[in-house]
Amino acid sequence: MQDLARELNTSPATISRALNDSPQIGKEMKEKVKALANQYHFRPNSFASNLRKGKSKTIGVIIPLINRQFFSNIIHHIEMTVAEHGYNLMICQTEESYEKEVEYVDTLTEQRVSGIIIALSKQTVDYTHLEKALRADISVVQIDNVIKACNTSYIKTKDYDGAKATVRHLLHQGYRRIVFFNGLLDSQIYIDRQQGYMDALSEHNISIDPLLIFTNTNRRDTGIEATRSLLANKISFDAIFSSGDYAALGAYLVLKEHHIKIPQEVGIAGFANEYFTELVSPSITSSEQHSDEIGRQAALQIIKEITSNNTPLLKTSILPQLITRESSRKEQA
Amino acid sequence: MQDLARELNTSPATISRALNDSPQIGKEMKEKVKALANQYHFRPNSFASNLRKGKSKTIGVIIPLINRQFFSNIIHHIEMTVAEHGYNLMICQTEESYEKEVEYVDTLTEQRVSGIIIALSKQTVDYTHLEKALRADISVVQIDNVIKACNTSYIKTKDYDGAKATVRHLLHQGYRRIVFFNGLLDSQIYIDRQQGYMDALSEHNISIDPLLIFTNTNRRDTGIEATRSLLANKISFDAIFSSGDYAALGAYLVLKEHHIKIPQEVGIAGFANEYFTELVSPSITSSEQHSDEIGRQAALQIIKEITSNNTPLLKTSILPQLITRESSRKEQA
DNA sequence: TCGATTTACGCAAACGATTACGTAAAGTTT
DNA sequence: AAACTTTACGTAATCGTTTGCGTAAATCGA
């Protein structure tokens, strides 16, 4: 920049203002500067600029796992949205570890990102790390697994309603002994889904059978395990509702292996609407969580909060869409 | 930092050195400084540090689409690997647009990232943008769709061998009129796969029938289209090899719709080993591209290049693993 | 035509860490 | 004990922009 200034017999201040389209600078000067900048392929040093301004055009994203459809979709939409506004994305994955999460919030704070979009790990129960970021004047938007007690914007799924709707659907189809595969009750989303499950049963005056509830069962392998144990222990059940599609898939595979007919003998419903649920046969009932909407809204909100500092917080839950498929359509089958 | 210095009656220089474990600083002073820094939750401003050092501990990743299994897997492994070395990831997606790609390389250069890992868009044919980054002393590692003429490290799939092996397998199973769904021939990976396809046929003295080759057919919808047109035009074929799993899925769906038996009447093989290929029935033969290895090696290599400036370039291709599944097992069926 | 505004730009001080260089004090050698 | 080395720290310049403030020239109003 000094060089440009020298070449044009002007000062770096003018160069800076010209490049940033400051109204203080005359039209012809601006053009001269821009022309020369282009000619020399000049690119301002963002460190210096950020240092001076105390902010960067970067948004941090912290999520448990990048390579899961739901999250990679969210990131995809966040990226598209913030890119339109000239922001960049810094991505961190915690692998569901609370320690890593804290560490990453710290690093992003140190890097002075303008905002952090975070899906809390399933281990996380306190939110002092988020408050630290807030104190450093970094906007925080929570998504997916949120802690409402922490006063930030959030966009989440209506887990309670989603689960309730699914179980109601199963009941409607005539299933009565509905197994529930859930995650660990440390995180709110699983607490909510379980409540939805229980309330739907209560509505139909069906008592909760603890034998039918499995926690820490949200992966393919744990789904397989749980289903095997159900069969091995001869526990009677006629449907499985899983908090996640992968565990539902595990159940699906075991049932097929045992030649148990889906949906006639056992109905299945998952949650998340992973790509494969539509493709297997019978296709698996699931709930779309609208990752596109979550990503887009989170991005828009954080940009709003960054650019105007008294933006009201956005606390919203999106109703998932139950997609009934073959695996739970007992009546038509 | 100034504050810390004042409080300890010392200079910012000492603080800086103490925090960076410089050997110039005495043991007790180091401890005092660190203790106070902790107490005040002090975090050095990375802008200032980066500005002074001219480098950042950030690696840029540019890929076509985040929400595709193959890429999100790669990112996942890149992230895990660089995190061990204290690097952060800046992620950009081009949506297969050359313009965006150039723009992002520029932005990352401006941000003075230490290195860029890039999977070129399928549109990209020149590499002046990469050379610009190299001139700015930024290490570049290409992955997946690479331009070998550009002298950087790369880690790619052995597309030629992978395709050839798949077609050989199909021939071995007795298929003779093998359709080929390919991407646009602008990018090297599709050129290579096509060559593999043709060479395998030649080995068996089968002439190439242009009617059986479809370009720009690598999505689910285009796969569906192509298969419909094959059937509508009554073109005889007994197998489909697709450069991508999604187009293979399209074919699979159309064939099922027409009650054409897989693999008895028509065999199918895809490429990429997407999650669903194993789950549909019949399961779809595909090739695992080892995204984990690609991600890990790319990350390791770029860190090597960043930290030691005469690291030899790594130019390597990984043989994909053909996973034969029901969709192409004519003999056993 | 003269004072009052506006326009267009330069000066210089930040921003916060790093580091080459300098220098006291302490330790070592002969 | 003199001379030399090492240790431990301070001084001050530097990285490349941005921006508050000041000012000359141009424009305007009456």
Side-chain angles (χ1 to χ4, degrees), chain A residues 159-173 175 178 180 196-197 200 240-242 268-272 285-288 320-324 328:
Chain A
D159 292 296
Y160 173 81
D161 299 279
K164 197 166 175 182
T166 306
V167 177
R168 276 178 173 164
H169 159 71
L170 290 173
L171 290 165
H172 201 74
Q173 294 288 318
Y175 299 108
I178 303 175
F180 183 41
Y197 163 81
I240 296 176
F241 167 45
S242 171
I268 295 186
F271 208 92
T285 291
S286 194
S287 288
E288 169 59 41
Q321 183 190 355
L322 176 65
I323 300 174
T324 62
S328 67

CSV table of all heavy atoms in Angstrom, one decimal, chain A residues 159-173 175 178 180 196-197 200 240-242 268-272 285-288 320-324 328:
chain,number,residue,atom,x,y,z
A,159,ASP,N,-38.1,-30.9,19.0
A,159,ASP,CA,-37.8,-32.3,19.3
A,159,ASP,C,-39.0,-33.0,19.9
A,159,ASP,O,-39.5,-34.1,19.6
A,159,ASP,CB,-36.6,-32.5,20.2
A,159,ASP,CG,-35.3,-32.1,19.4
A,159,ASP,OD1,-35.0,-32.7,18.5
A,159,ASP,OD2,-34.7,-31.1,19.8
A,160,TYR,N,-39.6,-32.3,20.9
A,160,TYR,CA,-40.8,-32.8,21.6
A,160,TYR,C,-41.9,-33.1,20.6
A,160,TYR,O,-42.4,-34.2,20.5
A,160,TYR,CB,-41.2,-31.8,22.7
A,160,TYR,CG,-42.5,-32.2,23.4
A,160,TYR,CD1,-42.5,-33.1,24.4
A,160,TYR,CD2,-43.7,-31.6,23.0
A,160,TYR,CE1,-43.7,-33.5,25.0
A,160,TYR,CE2,-44.9,-32.0,23.6
A,160,TYR,CZ,-44.9,-32.9,24.6
A,160,TYR,OH,-46.0,-33.3,25.2
A,161,ASP,N,-42.2,-32.1,19.8
A,161,ASP,CA,-43.4,-32.3,18.9
A,161,ASP,C,-43.1,-33.3,17.8
A,161,ASP,O,-43.9,-34.1,17.4
A,161,ASP,CB,-43.7,-30.9,18.3
A,161,ASP,CG,-44.1,-29.9,19.3
A,161,ASP,OD1,-45.3,-29.9,19.7
A,161,ASP,OD2,-43.2,-29.1,19.7
A,162,GLY,N,-41.8,-33.3,17.4
A,162,GLY,CA,-41.4,-34.2,16.4
A,162,GLY,C,-41.6,-35.7,16.8
A,162,GLY,O,-42.2,-36.5,16.2
A,163,ALA,N,-41.1,-35.9,18.0
A,163,ALA,CA,-41.2,-37.3,18.6
A,163,ALA,C,-42.6,-37.6,18.8
A,163,ALA,O,-43.1,-38.7,18.5
A,163,ALA,CB,-40.4,-37.3,19.9
A,164,LYS,N,-43.3,-36.7,19.4
A,164,LYS,CA,-44.7,-37.0,19.7
A,164,LYS,C,-45.5,-37.3,18.5
A,164,LYS,O,-46.3,-38.3,18.4
A,164,LYS,CB,-45.3,-35.7,20.4
A,164,LYS,CG,-46.6,-35.9,21.1
A,164,LYS,CD,-46.9,-34.7,22.0
A,164,LYS,CE,-48.3,-34.8,22.7
A,164,LYS,NZ,-48.5,-33.6,23.5
A,165,ALA,N,-45.3,-36.6,17.4
A,165,ALA,CA,-46.0,-36.8,16.1
A,165,ALA,C,-45.7,-38.2,15.6
A,165,ALA,O,-46.6,-38.9,15.1
A,165,ALA,CB,-45.6,-35.7,15.1
A,166,THR,N,-44.4,-38.6,15.7
A,166,THR,CA,-44.0,-39.9,15.2
A,166,THR,C,-44.7,-41.0,16.0
A,166,THR,O,-45.3,-41.9,15.4
A,166,THR,CB,-42.5,-40.1,15.3
A,166,THR,OG1,-41.9,-39.0,14.7
A,166,THR,CG2,-42.1,-41.4,14.6
A,167,VAL,N,-44.7,-40.9,17.3
A,167,VAL,CA,-45.3,-41.9,18.1
A,167,VAL,C,-46.8,-41.9,17.9
A,167,VAL,O,-47.4,-43.0,17.8
A,167,VAL,CB,-45.0,-41.7,19.6
A,167,VAL,CG1,-45.7,-42.7,20.5
A,167,VAL,CG2,-43.5,-41.8,19.8
A,168,ARG,N,-47.4,-40.8,17.8
A,168,ARG,CA,-48.9,-40.7,17.5
A,168,ARG,C,-49.2,-41.5,16.2
A,168,ARG,O,-50.1,-42.2,16.1
A,168,ARG,CB,-49.3,-39.3,17.3
A,168,ARG,CG,-49.6,-38.6,18.6
A,168,ARG,CD,-50.0,-37.2,18.3
A,168,ARG,NE,-50.5,-36.5,19.4
A,168,ARG,CZ,-50.6,-35.1,19.5
A,168,ARG,NH1,-50.3,-34.4,18.5
A,168,ARG,NH2,-51.1,-34.6,20.6
A,169,HIS,N,-48.3,-41.2,15.2
A,169,HIS,CA,-48.5,-41.9,13.9
A,169,HIS,C,-48.4,-43.4,14.1
A,169,HIS,O,-49.3,-44.2,13.6
A,169,HIS,CB,-47.4,-41.4,12.9
A,169,HIS,CG,-47.2,-42.3,11.8
A,169,HIS,ND1,-48.1,-42.5,10.8
A,169,HIS,CD2,-46.1,-43.2,11.5
A,169,HIS,CE1,-47.6,-43.4,9.9
A,169,HIS,NE2,-46.4,-43.8,10.3
A,170,LEU,N,-47.4,-43.9,14.9
A,170,LEU,CA,-47.3,-45.3,15.1
A,170,LEU,C,-48.5,-45.9,15.8
A,170,LEU,O,-49.0,-46.9,15.4
A,170,LEU,CB,-46.0,-45.6,15.9
A,170,LEU,CG,-44.7,-45.4,15.2
A,170,LEU,CD1,-43.5,-45.5,16.2
A,170,LEU,CD2,-44.5,-46.3,14.0
A,171,LEU,N,-49.0,-45.1,16.8
A,171,LEU,CA,-50.2,-45.6,17.5
A,171,LEU,C,-51.4,-45.6,16.6
A,171,LEU,O,-52.2,-46.6,16.6
A,171,LEU,CB,-50.5,-44.6,18.7
A,171,LEU,CG,-49.5,-44.7,19.8
A,171,LEU,CD1,-49.6,-43.4,20.7
A,171,LEU,CD2,-49.6,-46.0,20.6
A,172,HIS,N,-51.5,-44.6,15.8
A,172,HIS,CA,-52.5,-44.6,14.8
A,172,HIS,C,-52.6,-45.8,13.9
A,172,HIS,O,-53.6,-46.2,13.4
A,172,HIS,CB,-52.4,-43.3,14.0
A,172,HIS,CG,-53.6,-42.8,13.3
A,172,HIS,ND1,-54.7,-42.3,14.0
A,172,HIS,CD2,-54.0,-42.9,12.0
A,172,HIS,CE1,-55.6,-42.0,13.2
A,172,HIS,NE2,-55.3,-42.3,12.0
A,173,GLN,N,-51.3,-46.2,13.6
A,173,GLN,CA,-51.2,-47.4,12.7
A,173,GLN,C,-51.5,-48.7,13.4
A,173,GLN,O,-51.5,-49.8,12.8
A,173,GLN,CB,-49.8,-47.5,12.1
A,173,GLN,CG,-49.5,-46.3,11.2
A,173,GLN,CD,-50.2,-46.4,9.8
A,173,GLN,OE1,-50.3,-47.5,9.3
A,173,GLN,NE2,-50.7,-45.3,9.4
A,175,TYR,N,-49.9,-49.8,16.2
A,175,TYR,CA,-48.8,-50.4,17.1
A,175,TYR,C,-49.1,-50.0,18.5
A,175,TYR,O,-49.6,-48.9,18.8
A,175,TYR,CB,-47.5,-49.8,16.6
A,175,TYR,CG,-47.1,-50.2,15.2
A,175,TYR,CD1,-47.1,-49.2,14.2
A,175,TYR,CD2,-46.8,-51.5,14.9
A,175,TYR,CE1,-46.8,-49.5,12.9
A,175,TYR,CE2,-46.4,-51.8,13.6
A,175,TYR,CZ,-46.4,-50.8,12.6
A,175,TYR,OH,-46.1,-51.2,11.3
A,178,ILE,N,-44.4,-49.9,21.7
A,178,ILE,CA,-43.4,-49.2,21.0
A,178,ILE,C,-42.1,-49.0,21.7
A,178,ILE,O,-42.0,-48.3,22.8
A,178,ILE,CB,-44.0,-47.8,20.6
A,178,ILE,CG1,-45.3,-48.0,19.8
A,178,ILE,CG2,-43.0,-47.0,19.8
A,178,ILE,CD1,-46.0,-46.7,19.5
A,180,PHE,N,-38.4,-47.5,22.3
A,180,PHE,CA,-37.8,-46.2,22.0
A,180,PHE,C,-36.3,-46.3,22.1
A,180,PHE,O,-35.7,-46.6,23.2
A,180,PHE,CB,-38.4,-45.2,23.0
A,180,PHE,CG,-37.9,-43.8,22.8
A,180,PHE,CD1,-37.7,-43.2,21.5
A,180,PHE,CD2,-37.6,-42.9,23.8
A,180,PHE,CE1,-37.3,-41.9,21.3
A,180,PHE,CE2,-37.1,-41.6,23.6
A,180,PHE,CZ,-37.0,-41.1,22.4
A,196,GLY,N,-41.7,-36.4,24.5
A,196,GLY,CA,-42.7,-36.5,23.4
A,196,GLY,C,-43.2,-37.9,23.3
A,196,GLY,O,-44.4,-38.2,23.2
A,197,TYR,N,-42.3,-38.8,23.4
A,197,TYR,CA,-42.6,-40.3,23.3
A,197,TYR,C,-43.6,-40.6,24.4
A,197,TYR,O,-44.7,-41.2,24.2
A,197,TYR,CB,-41.3,-41.1,23.4
A,197,TYR,CG,-41.5,-42.5,23.7
A,197,TYR,CD1,-41.8,-43.5,22.7
A,197,TYR,CD2,-41.2,-43.0,25.0
A,197,TYR,CE1,-41.9,-44.8,23.0
A,197,TYR,CE2,-41.3,-44.4,25.3
A,197,TYR,CZ,-41.7,-45.3,24.3
A,197,TYR,OH,-41.8,-46.6,24.6
A,200,ALA,N,-47.1,-39.0,24.2
A,200,ALA,CA,-48.0,-39.5,23.1
A,200,ALA,C,-48.6,-40.8,23.6
A,200,ALA,O,-49.8,-41.1,23.4
A,200,ALA,CB,-47.2,-39.8,21.9
A,240,ILE,N,-40.6,-49.9,16.6
A,240,ILE,CA,-39.4,-49.3,17.2
A,240,ILE,C,-39.4,-47.8,16.7
A,240,ILE,O,-39.4,-47.6,15.5
A,240,ILE,CB,-38.1,-50.0,16.8
A,240,ILE,CG1,-38.1,-51.4,17.3
A,240,ILE,CG2,-36.9,-49.2,17.2
A,240,ILE,CD1,-36.9,-52.2,16.8
A,241,PHE,N,-39.3,-46.9,17.6
A,241,PHE,CA,-39.1,-45.5,17.3
A,241,PHE,C,-37.7,-45.1,17.7
A,241,PHE,O,-37.4,-45.3,18.9
A,241,PHE,CB,-40.1,-44.6,17.9
A,241,PHE,CG,-39.8,-43.1,17.8
A,241,PHE,CD1,-39.3,-42.6,16.6
A,241,PHE,CD2,-39.9,-42.3,18.9
A,241,PHE,CE1,-39.0,-41.2,16.5
A,241,PHE,CE2,-39.6,-40.9,18.8
A,241,PHE,CZ,-39.2,-40.4,17.6
A,242,SER,N,-36.9,-44.7,16.8
A,242,SER,CA,-35.5,-44.4,17.1
A,242,SER,C,-35.3,-42.9,17.0
A,242,SER,O,-35.7,-42.3,16.0
A,242,SER,CB,-34.6,-45.2,16.2
A,242,SER,OG,-33.2,-44.7,16.4
A,268,ILE,N,-41.2,-49.5,12.0
A,268,ILE,CA,-40.0,-48.7,12.4
A,268,ILE,C,-40.1,-47.3,12.0
A,268,ILE,O,-40.7,-47.0,10.9
A,268,ILE,CB,-38.8,-49.3,11.6
A,268,ILE,CG1,-38.5,-50.7,12.1
A,268,ILE,CG2,-37.5,-48.4,11.8
A,268,ILE,CD1,-37.2,-51.3,11.5
A,269,ALA,N,-39.7,-46.4,12.8
A,269,ALA,CA,-39.6,-45.0,12.5
A,269,ALA,C,-38.3,-44.4,13.0
A,269,ALA,O,-37.9,-44.7,14.2
A,269,ALA,CB,-40.8,-44.2,13.0
A,270,GLY,N,-37.6,-43.6,12.2
A,270,GLY,CA,-36.4,-43.0,12.7
A,270,GLY,C,-36.5,-41.5,12.9
A,270,GLY,O,-37.6,-41.0,13.1
A,271,PHE,N,-35.4,-40.8,12.8
A,271,PHE,CA,-35.5,-39.4,13.0
A,271,PHE,C,-34.2,-38.8,12.3
A,271,PHE,O,-33.1,-39.2,12.6
A,271,PHE,CB,-35.5,-39.0,14.5
A,271,PHE,CG,-36.1,-37.7,14.8
A,271,PHE,CD1,-37.5,-37.7,15.1
A,271,PHE,CD2,-35.4,-36.5,14.7
A,271,PHE,CE1,-38.1,-36.5,15.4
A,271,PHE,CE2,-36.1,-35.3,15.0
A,271,PHE,CZ,-37.4,-35.3,15.4
A,272,ALA,N,-34.4,-37.8,11.4
A,272,ALA,CA,-33.4,-37.1,10.7
A,272,ALA,C,-33.5,-37.1,9.2
A,272,ALA,O,-32.9,-36.3,8.5
A,272,ALA,CB,-32.0,-37.5,11.1
A,285,THR,N,-39.7,-44.7,7.6
A,285,THR,CA,-40.4,-43.5,8.1
A,285,THR,C,-39.4,-42.7,8.9
A,285,THR,O,-38.7,-43.2,9.8
A,285,THR,CB,-41.6,-43.9,9.0
A,285,THR,OG1,-42.6,-44.5,8.1
A,285,THR,CG2,-42.2,-42.6,9.7
A,286,SER,N,-39.3,-41.4,8.7
A,286,SER,CA,-38.4,-40.5,9.4
A,286,SER,C,-38.9,-39.1,9.5
A,286,SER,O,-40.0,-38.8,8.9
A,286,SER,CB,-37.0,-40.6,8.8
A,286,SER,OG,-36.1,-40.1,9.7
A,287,SER,N,-38.2,-38.2,10.1
A,287,SER,CA,-38.6,-36.8,10.2
A,287,SER,C,-37.5,-35.9,9.7
A,287,SER,O,-36.4,-36.0,10.1
A,287,SER,CB,-38.9,-36.5,11.6
A,287,SER,OG,-40.1,-37.1,12.1
A,288,GLU,N,-37.9,-35.1,8.7
A,288,GLU,CA,-37.0,-34.1,8.2
A,288,GLU,C,-36.8,-33.0,9.1
A,288,GLU,O,-37.8,-32.3,9.6
A,288,GLU,CB,-37.6,-33.6,6.8
A,288,GLU,CG,-36.9,-32.4,6.3
A,288,GLU,CD,-35.4,-32.7,6.0
A,288,GLU,OE1,-35.1,-33.8,5.5
A,288,GLU,OE2,-34.6,-31.9,6.3
A,320,PRO,N,-40.3,-30.4,12.8
A,320,PRO,CA,-39.8,-31.4,11.8
A,320,PRO,C,-41.0,-31.9,11.1
A,320,PRO,O,-42.1,-31.9,11.6
A,320,PRO,CB,-39.1,-32.4,12.6
A,320,PRO,CG,-39.7,-32.3,14.0
A,320,PRO,CD,-40.1,-30.9,14.2
A,321,GLN,N,-40.7,-32.4,9.9
A,321,GLN,CA,-41.8,-32.9,9.1
A,321,GLN,C,-41.8,-34.4,9.0
A,321,GLN,O,-40.8,-35.0,8.6
A,321,GLN,CB,-41.7,-32.4,7.6
A,321,GLN,CG,-42.8,-32.8,6.7
A,321,GLN,CD,-42.5,-32.4,5.3
A,321,GLN,OE1,-41.4,-31.8,5.0
A,321,GLN,NE2,-43.3,-32.8,4.3
A,322,LEU,N,-42.8,-35.0,9.6
A,322,LEU,CA,-42.9,-36.5,9.6
A,322,LEU,C,-43.1,-37.0,8.2
A,322,LEU,O,-44.0,-36.6,7.5
A,322,LEU,CB,-44.0,-36.9,10.5
A,322,LEU,CG,-44.3,-38.4,10.5
A,322,LEU,CD1,-43.1,-39.2,11.1
A,322,LEU,CD2,-45.6,-38.7,11.3
A,323,ILE,N,-42.2,-37.9,7.7
A,323,ILE,CA,-42.4,-38.4,6.4
A,323,ILE,C,-42.7,-39.9,6.6
A,323,ILE,O,-41.8,-40.7,6.9
A,323,ILE,CB,-41.1,-38.2,5.6
A,323,ILE,CG1,-40.8,-36.7,5.5
A,323,ILE,CG2,-41.3,-38.9,4.2
A,323,ILE,CD1,-39.5,-36.4,4.8
A,324,THR,N,-43.9,-40.3,6.4
A,324,THR,CA,-44.3,-41.7,6.6
A,324,THR,C,-43.9,-42.5,5.4
A,324,THR,O,-44.2,-42.1,4.3
A,324,THR,CB,-45.8,-41.8,6.9
A,324,THR,OG1,-46.5,-41.4,5.8
A,324,THR,CG2,-46.2,-41.0,8.1
A,328,SER,N,-43.6,-48.1,8.4
A,328,SER,CA,-44.6,-47.9,9.5
A,328,SER,C,-46.0,-47.9,9.0
A,328,SER,O,-46.9,-47.6,9.7
A,328,SER,CB,-44.3,-46.6,10.2
A,328,SER,OG,-44.6,-45.5,9.3
